[in-house]
Amino acid sequence: MSNNASHYDAIVLGAGGAGLMCASVAAQRGRRVLLIDHADQAGKKILISGGGRCNFTNIDTAPDRYLSANPHFAKSALSRYTPADFIALVDRHRIAWHEKTLGQLFCDGSARQIVHMLMEECAKGAVRISLGRPIREVDHADGRFTIRYGDETATAAALVMATGGPSIPKMGATGFAYDLARRFGLKVVEPRPALVPLTLGGDEILFRELSGVAADVVARCGKAAFREAALFTHRGLSGPAILQISSYWRHGEEIGIDFLPSCGRNWLLEAKRARPRSHFHTIVGEALPARLAEALTKKLGLWGELANMPDLKLGEAERRLGDWRFSPNGTEGFAKAEVTAGGISTAELSSQTMEAKTVPGLYAIGEGVDVTGWLGGYNFQWAWASGWAAGQVL
Ligand code: FDA
């Protein structure tokens, strides 16, 4: 141990949502806390989140809205620090907010307010914050962690890994937490991009001409289904429904899209009876953007009047429009993924405290852990809740 080292009760690596929450909670409990980030600014992902307004929680938060190899793991932390707790904090800081849709809460003003709030909470507990200096070395001996960062050295009995996942590397995101966890013998569930646009190749390349078209759909993969907007892009598909389903999708699997979720059973046959002279693409175009209706009509090969189409064919068209199968050839990867699924295995951690079972004093919180929320404020709620859980016991 260096003689010039500074000593703390806890060192938190990563000043994102989880690290800021954890550091402030522990420090306000009287712990001496050092928070280190290689970025020159804390909470960079918070600043760009929710289109600059930060979708900071979701009032419908529930454990079944998180993906993990162990779906029970997140229950404890999520139930002990709830959306209501975070809203109370936001209210104490007089930050105005609103519900946009589907339980998603956003700042009325700016995401900066959330970062400012968390920094103020850290200041209340006199957290020492080091920004813009790289972590050069992490050692562990005799129950103490020693961190060399920039040209300084610090030691503590507790070390919290809160450096997130590798999504959006150009913002400074890294797989540092995984490397560190592996060094301590902890397993890592294969990280993969999640909440990410899907790319299309082969036959589906035809859909690229629809770039810019959006539609309200139900996207399905396995048992997961999301009704929200899908957006055609020049590379494939995006939009909330697709981002949501991407977290469940694995290479080689099919995605099913219901393009007409509001149409009842036999709606095409009923349309044929009611308006036999109408053209197929006109009828479909009443429920969908015209360009999409045309592309689907082209794919189904159903040009002409409904009256000339056998019921069997219309029944088959209805089935296909209600469950259009795509085989994405990939995703847009970590460069475009809003989060990383997988991560430090929950089997290695206490769900109460986030402490590693085999390395006393080592903790993992936030996105680096194998817990991934749906789109819509769920990932920040996990960052707050897991950060709070660790902050209680440091
Ligand atoms: P986070 O990534 O926030 O923080 C990790 C910190 O560690 C960073 O400050 C980073 O600089 C630092 N770090 C990384 N490697 C390091 C290293 N080697 N050395 C030192 N420091 C290192 N979620 C949500 O709920 N609502 C929303 O509105 C959005 N919107 C959104 C938009 C976009 C564009 C993205 C990319 C993501 C979102 N998210 C979101 C997801 C959300 O941002 C994410 O889940 C949380 O920020 C995760 O918080 P963490 O603190 O775990 O990691």
Side-chain angles (χ1 to χ4, degrees):
M1 192 190 305
S2 156
N3 289 333
N4 298 324
S6 314
H7 306 294
Y8 295 88
D9 295 315
I11 299 173
V12 180
L13 305 181
L20 286 163
M21 173 60 86
C22 178
S24 66
V25 167
Q28 289 182 27
R29 288 178 44 251
R31 300 294 180 266
R32 283 167 306 150
V33 181
L34 170 65
L35 177 60
I36 306 175
D37 202 297
H38 66 172
D40 52 6
Q41 208 179 3
K44 273 187 161 180
K45 276 195 185 164
I46 300 175
L47 293 174
I48 58 156
S49 68
R53 289 225 162 88
C54 186
N55 177 192
F56 56 79
T57 192
N58 193 299
I59 51 175
D60 298 325
T61 294
D64 63 358
R65 292 167 180 218
Y66 291 83
L67 292 82
S68 172
N70 175 3
H72 302 292
F73 181 82
K75 285 182 181 169
S76 171
L78 290 174
S79 69
R80 286 182 300 136
Y81 191 85
T82 64
D85 291 317
F86 195 77
I87 293 167
L89 181 64
V90 166
D91 286 345
R92 279 202 299 281
H93 284 257
R94 298 176 192 282
I95 298 173
W97 52 270
H98 61 280
E99 180 181 346
K100 197 166 170 193
T101 174
L102 301 171
Q104 303 168 5
L105 305 191
F106 287 75
C107 299
D108 288 357
S110 154
R112 282 187 186 285
Q113 295 171 287
I114 299 292
V115 176
H116 186 69
M117 172 187 88
L118 293 167
M119 292 294 273
E120 273 191 1
E121 290 293 314
C122 283
K124 262 190 218 167
V127 173
R128 170 140 189 258
I129 302 182
S130 165
L131 298 173
R133 283 185 287 185
I135 298 163
R136 293 194 290 109
E137 224 177 294
V138 177
D139 285 328
H140 184 222
D142 307 326
R144 286 195 83 74
F145 296 90
T146 302
I147 313 297
R148 294 194 173 76
Y149 62 106
D151 51 11
E152 292 197 46
T153 302
T155 76
L159 180 68
V160 184
M161 299 182 283
T163 52
S167 45
I168 323 274
K170 73 169 188 228
M171 289 193 61
T174 65
F176 182 80
Y178 309 149
D179 299 340
L180 197 55
R182 286 194 189 99
R183 261 190 50 202
F184 283 105
L186 310 188
K187 289 198 182 64
V188 173
V189 176
E190 178 69 11
R192 57 178 206 284
L195 299 182
V196 63
L198 297 171
T199 56
L200 297 173
D203 273 1
E204 280 106 22
I205 260 171
L206 261 188
F207 281 112
R208 285 192 192 164
E209 62 199 44
L210 293 176
S211 181
V213 172
D216 170 38
V217 305
V218 175
R220 291 196 172 82
C221 184
K223 288 191 182 134
F226 293 92
R227 180 166 182 176
E228 279 187 75
L231 172 72
F232 290 88
T233 70
H234 64 287
R235 299 193 59 196
L237 285 167
S238 187
I242 301 301
L243 298 181
Q244 296 280 33
I245 212 70
S246 74
S247 301
Y248 290 83
W249 178 78
R250 302 296 178 110
H251 273 271
E253 286 181 346
E254 280 187 332
I255 302 262
I257 305 276
D258 181 351
F259 281 114
L260 297 161
S262 297
C263 294
R265 240 174 104 79
N266 293 330
W267 67 277
L268 267 175
L269 292 178
E270 280 163 18
K272 178 178 169 180
R273 308 277 174 264
R275 296 150 70 191
R277 294 281 150 240
S278 295
H279 282 242
F280 181 85
H281 76 269
T282 313
I283 293 291
V284 175
E286 284 169 3
L288 286 176
R291 277 167 67 200
L292 177 57
E294 279 210 21
L296 291 171
T297 303
K298 196 152 113 192
K299 285 222 162 209
L300 290 167
L302 286 177
W303 297 106
E305 295 176 359
L306 293 178
N308 299 329
M309 295 175 188
D311 286 4
L312 216 65
K313 266 202 154 177
L314 287 177
E316 172 57 18
E318 187 180 308
R319 266 191 301 284
R320 282 197 68 192
L321 290 171
D323 187 21
W324 198 281
R325 296 302 178 109
F326 292 92
S327 286
N329 64 0
T331 74
E332 293 205 19
F334 287 116
K336 292 282 168 65
E338 207 161 284
V339 288
T340 304
I344 299 168
S345 171
T346 57
E348 306 282 5
L349 306 173
S350 153
S351 62
Q352 308 283 313
T353 63
M354 307 292 139
E355 187 175 13
K357 292 174 184 167
T358 52
V359 189
L362 182 67
Y363 297 77
I365 57 173
E367 195 180 320
V369 178
D370 174 30
V371 172
T372 307
W374 284 4
L375 184 77
Y378 296 97
N379 284 296
F380 277 136
Q381 188 58 36
W382 169 246
W384 319 135
S386 58
W388 186 90
Q392 289 301 306
V393 294
L394 290 176

